[in-house]
Amino acid sequence: MSDSLITFLGIYFLSLFKFIAGPVLGSAAGYGVIGSIFVTVAGMMTSVVLFTLVGNKFKKYLKLRFSKKKPIFSKKNRTLVKIWKKYGEVGIAIITPLVLTPIGGTLIMVSFGAKKRHIYLNMLLSSLFWATVFCLSIDQLLNIPFFNKLLE
């Protein structure tokens, strides 16, 4: 396998689990803005599709495996319910790349009973928006002479 394919697959694999890895590592690997956006969105959407399809089964498995006596109404759960009630699927999709992981955001949407096509659409739009923002921001930061000297 060529080095560029291994680099691409590594960035893609990390984007499955953590969204910000795509723009940061894509830029570090020398990808342009479009390449970084592509690998980031591809990674996130792969995990969204996988965990939408197996979300309920995965949630049951985790519940059986890690069944501790946790309070149902924790601060985190209350915050997520407030966001869901106020902003719905769009709200969860918007905060997924920022606060949650692609897997976490998808499992939350599946837990609240969102339709699969709504999950796919909202997560795709959110990932395209945030990948563009992050990739362009990183690209602009690297054009600042101070940061450019640090990387030399």
Side-chain angles (χ1 to χ4, degrees), residues 13 24 30 41 54 63 69 79 84-87 89-90 93 111 115-116 128 130 139:
F13 183 73
V24 171
V41 171
V54 297
K63 200 175 214 178
K69 297 276 183 172
T79 304
W84 181 263
K85 284 186 175 184
K86 192 168 185 177
Y87 302 107
E89 298 164 357
V90 175
S111 298
K115 293 181 180 177
K116 288 180 185 176
L128 283 170
W130 286 115
D139 192 48

Side-chain angles (χ1 to χ4, degrees), residues 45-60:
M45 289 310 297
T46 301
S47 65
V48 167
V49 168
L50 287 174
F51 283 93
T52 300
L53 296 174
V54 297
N56 286 327
K57 292 176 187 165
F58 185 73
K59 200 173 104 176
K60 287 178 187 176

Side-chain angles (χ1 to χ4, degrees), residues 32-80:
V33 173
I34 301 296
S36 295
I37 291 171
F38 175 75
V39 72
T40 304
V41 171
M44 178 170 167
M45 289 310 297
T46 301
S47 65
V48 167
V49 168
L50 287 174
F51 283 93
T52 300
L53 296 174
V54 297
N56 286 327
K57 292 176 187 165
F58 185 73
K59 200 173 104 176
K60 287 178 187 176
Y61 170 76
L62 287 178
K63 200 175 214 178
L64 289 174
R65 178 123 170 128
F66 302 105
S67 61
K68 294 180 182 176
K69 297 276 183 172
K70 290 185 181 178
I72 295 173
F73 297 108
S74 67
K75 185 176 180 181
K76 181 180 169 185
N77 289 347
R78 277 190 226 112
T79 304
L80 289 172

Side-chain angles (χ1 to χ4, degrees), residues 3 18 24 28 30 33 39 45 68 70 72 79 92 101 118 123-124 138 142:
D3 289 340
K18 197 66 182 164
V24 171
V33 173
V39 72
M45 289 310 297
K68 294 180 182 176
K70 290 185 181 178
I72 295 173
T79 304
I92 298 295
T101 63
H118 292 176
M123 291 295 217
L124 176 64
I138 290 169
L142 292 177

Side-chain angles (χ1 to χ4, degrees), residues 81-119:
V81 169
K82 284 180 189 175
I83 291 170
W84 181 263
K85 284 186 175 184
K86 192 168 185 177
Y87 302 107
E89 298 164 357
V90 175
I92 298 295
I94 287 172
I95 68 165
T96 293
L98 299 173
V99 180
L100 307 168
T101 63
I103 297 168
T106 304
L107 290 176
I108 289 168
M109 291 178 83
V110 168
S111 298
F112 282 115
K115 293 181 180 177
K116 288 180 185 176
R117 61 188 163 117
H118 292 176
I119 295 172

